[in-house]
Amino acid sequence: MEKIEVGVLGATGMVGQRYIKLLEDHPWFEVTYVAASPRSAGKKYKDAVLDRWLIGSDIPAGVADLVVENANDEKKALGKCKFVFSALEMGKDEIKALEAAYAAEGIPVVSNASANRWTDDVPMLVPEINFGHLDVIAEQKKHHGWDKGFIAVKPNCSLQTYVMPVFALQQAGYPVKRMIVTTLQATSGAGYPGVSSFDMIDNIVPYISGEEEKTEKECLKILGTVKNGKIENAAGPIVSSSCTRVPVIDGHTACVNLEFDLPEDKKPSLEEIEKVWTHFTSLPQELKLPSAPVHPIVVRHEENRPQPRRDRETEKGMACVIGRLRKCNVFDVKFVALSHNTKRGAALGGILNAELLKAKGYFDNL
């Protein structure tokens, strides 16, 4: 198979670097274009990330000597790549305008940024859950007058800890009424240099700007439906979250308390819940997408799991790992869930989105 040439915007940042590393030897995609801020433009990639390559291994040889372009000039990408991954780090309004500029030039944008998450004709994808939201892309292109370009985004990383198990339960006929979610989020979620070591060593920070709103609301769009060319949010579940930063490098953990919207005699047992989770698969598994986990949800039975250091790489960092499933004295059940925030929650989740788009024909005429 001839590989599709792709670009990475924000290629020198933490998420951009993760894209560069994860796309090394990808069976479908090849990085041929890198772009970042004007201060990095004009340098070879290996020089632009000198002394701040964060992924822990050598820079991929195929990218090291690429010249970094100015990400603010969308025309620089023309003829050098077919679509771009956006890991831009700037103001939301700037990102929104710049991603639209790339799309207007006929370059699809697969984005990690939050700027377009609430745009009602932009799909916010978790491929196992809302692959049907791709239907809004036709309306998005029509609305903007775009021929080949479009924008698709991924959700906030903290949602990956709970939204898939909730969807699996709802799909199995067990609707969720409300939840309380307390997240313990890794420092890598703050980017680089991120939170200072003085704040994180021997400490927990009980506030992450904007995170609780994202955790409580983005799930409603993901679980929503496409109507009249736009995504209509789901009515529930109601989520109340508390988001904290903890001294862990990678891996977001969430403690979840959950109540079903069912009569008492219709609520699932713990055994039924586990069966739903362990048997859950979806379109990415059916299509055998390269980055799709074989088992999207993995349940562990040890009393002290999941743990970030031990479990974040499960299914190459793409699984939601759940443990401590038990009855709740206030709601119905409670559990602890873990996801890899810079893989499933960031770059590899974006790559899986792109694989789904390719498999569904959205890159066929680029």
Side-chain angles (χ1 to χ4, degrees):
M1 178 189 296
E2 185 176 347
K3 293 187 179 182
I4 299 175
E5 297 175 335
V6 305
V8 179
L9 310 181
T12 60
M14 178 177 281
V15 175
Q17 290 182 28
R18 183 71 74 177
Y19 268 118
I20 297 296
K21 187 60 184 173
L22 289 169
L23 288 166
E24 184 180 25
D25 301 321
H26 191 280
W28 294 358
F29 307 136
E30 180 181 7
V31 177
T32 58
Y33 182 78
V34 288
S37 66
R39 66 178 178 273
S40 296
K43 300 177 182 177
K44 288 186 176 181
Y45 185 76
K46 64 184 179 184
D47 297 325
V49 297
L50 186 67
D51 297 328
R52 60 191 185 100
W53 176 255
L54 305 167
I55 308 305
S57 57
D58 292 339
I59 299 168
V63 178
D65 289 323
L66 290 179
V67 175
V68 180
E69 300 289 355
N70 182 357
N72 296 315
D73 186 352
E74 65 279 2
K75 293 185 184 298
K76 292 280 189 180
L78 292 172
K80 297 176 182 175
C81 60
K82 300 298 185 182
F83 73 90
V84 293
F85 292 102
S86 171
L88 293 167
E89 297 176 8
M90 55 177 71
K92 286 188 179 182
D93 290 341
E94 295 173 283
I95 292 174
K96 196 168 186 178
L98 190 53
E99 291 183 346
Y102 277 87
E105 291 292 342
I107 301 171
V109 179
V110 180
S111 181
N112 275 64
S114 63
N116 275 298
R117 287 180 187 158
W118 285 107
T119 306
D120 58 14
D121 60 3
V122 172
M124 180 164 59
L125 295 170
V126 178
E128 285 88 350
I129 298 175
N130 61 338
F131 51 85
H133 287 192
L134 293 178
D135 292 345
V136 302
I137 288 177
E139 187 64 30
Q140 178 196 132
K141 294 166 74 173
K142 180 180 177 182
H143 171 247
H144 290 281
W146 295 338
D147 179 19
K148 297 179 180 180
F150 59 85
I151 300 170
V153 304
K154 63 166 298 301
N156 189 52
C157 51
S158 62
L159 272 76
Q160 311 289 343
T161 55
Y162 76 83
V163 71
M164 201 179 317
V166 167
F167 172 75
L169 290 169
Q170 299 204 144
Q171 187 184 51
Y174 303 123
V176 176
K177 181 178 182 181
R178 54 182 178 165
M179 303 165 55
I180 293 176
V181 179
T182 302
T183 68
L184 296 83
Q185 296 183 211
T187 57
S188 58
Y192 182 82
V195 186
S196 75
S197 59
F198 187 87
D199 288 327
M200 288 314 308
I201 295 173
D202 189 35
N203 201 28
I204 291 173
V205 180
Y207 173 73
I208 305 172
S209 179
E211 203 74 5
E212 290 170 1
E213 293 83 355
K214 295 172 186 175
T215 303
E216 292 173 351
K217 295 178 181 178
E218 288 186 13
C219 61
L220 301 180
K221 182 175 181 180
I222 294 167
L223 297 172
T225 55
V226 176
K227 291 186 178 179
N228 300 317
K230 297 180 180 179
I231 299 168
E232 185 174 295
N233 293 347
I238 299 168
V239 180
S240 176
S241 71
S242 298
C243 295
T244 71
R245 188 76 71 193
V246 298
V248 169
I249 295 174
D250 289 318
H252 287 353
T253 302
C255 301
V256 180
N257 299 65
L258 180 154
E259 180 182 23
F260 291 103
D261 193 10
L262 288 168
E264 199 63 38
D265 62 342
K266 300 293 185 182
K267 293 178 181 180
S269 66
L270 298 181
E271 292 75 19
E272 288 168 331
I273 292 170
E274 180 174 340
K275 184 177 180 180
V276 167
W277 286 342
T278 56
H279 286 79
F280 174 73
T281 60
S282 188
L283 184 61
Q285 289 70 43
E286 178 185 329
L287 296 174
K288 293 182 168 36
L289 300 180
S291 299
V294 176
H295 305 288
I297 302 174
V298 174
V299 178
R300 300 205 65 104
H301 298 100
E302 302 92 331
E303 63 183 9
N304 63 345
R305 302 283 280 276
Q307 296 178 20
R309 199 166 64 187
R310 294 183 175 185
D311 297 309
R312 61 192 170 209
E313 296 293 345
T314 302
E315 293 277 345
K316 299 180 180 178
M318 289 296 281
C320 175
V321 185
I322 299 177
R324 302 209 66 214
L325 174 63
R326 60 215 191 275
K327 292 289 187 182
C328 176
N329 292 332
V330 178
F331 285 178
D332 291 319
V333 297
K334 52 187 176 180
F335 58 91
V336 178
L338 170 74
S339 67
H340 197 306
N341 59 296
T342 66
K343 290 190 175 179
R344 167 63 83 162
L348 200 50
I351 292 169
L352 182 61
N353 285 350
E355 292 168 357
L356 176 64
L357 287 160
K358 179 192 178 300
K360 300 298 285 184
Y362 284 87
F363 298 147
D364 284 355
N365 298 314
L366 297 180

